[in-house]
Amino acid sequence: MKLIGSKQEQDFRKELEGSNLLLTKDGKAEKILNVLRVTFGELKSAYILNWTPEQGEDIYTILVDIDKIAKIEISRVNHSEVPLIETYNLRDFQKRLSKIFQIKLAVAIDIAKTEHQEG
């Protein structure tokens, strides 16, 4: 998807720039990063695309580096419970998304690519 610099894209960019887990220093981010590192090894970036608070758990959809998607479910009730993780191929994941979420994903990929070139 080609980005055009729309207001929607700019809003997503602002939101996503603050969601890079590698730059966040709190317990929840560390827990998510640990799950991601066990699954993928070393990470260059990890952007939260979506967060869904459920009754007893939080579900995060995360762009890992520039080509992987992880969906992580972390219990808010039982902190010793091992988080569940599902991984997706980026191309397969994109096909199922709404137009607006495809734009958000494209912005996240653009940010990650820029970050990877700088790093």
Side-chain angles (χ1 to χ4, degrees), residues 9-72:
E9 289 172 18
Q10 291 169 23
D11 291 346
F12 282 147
R13 187 173 296 277
K14 206 177 292 181
E15 175 189 335
L16 287 161
E17 284 173 344
S19 79
N20 186 349
L21 289 165
L22 295 177
L23 303 177
T24 306
K25 300 296 179 214
D26 65 27
K28 185 77 80 177
E30 284 302 316
K31 189 166 190 165
I32 295 169
L33 281 172
N34 288 339
V35 173
L36 292 173
R37 285 185 178 119
V38 166
T39 305
F40 298 109
E42 193 54 40
L43 308 172
K44 292 185 178 129
S45 62
Y47 290 94
I48 297 175
L49 298 171
N50 195 37
W51 167 54
T52 307
E54 293 287 333
Q55 198 163 358
E57 64 275 336
D58 290 318
I59 302 171
Y60 298 90
T61 303
I62 301 164
L63 172 67
V64 179
D65 295 335
I66 56 173
D67 57 352
K68 297 177 272 300
I69 299 290
K71 208 171 227 181
I72 300 177

Side-chain angles (χ1 to χ4, degrees), residues 8 12 47 50 58 63 78-79 85 87 92 94 102 114:
Q8 182 75 65
F12 282 147
Y47 290 94
N50 195 37
D58 290 318
L63 172 67
N78 181 355
H79 297 289
I85 184 166
T87 60
D92 294 339
Q94 280 175 306
Q102 286 183 25
T114 302

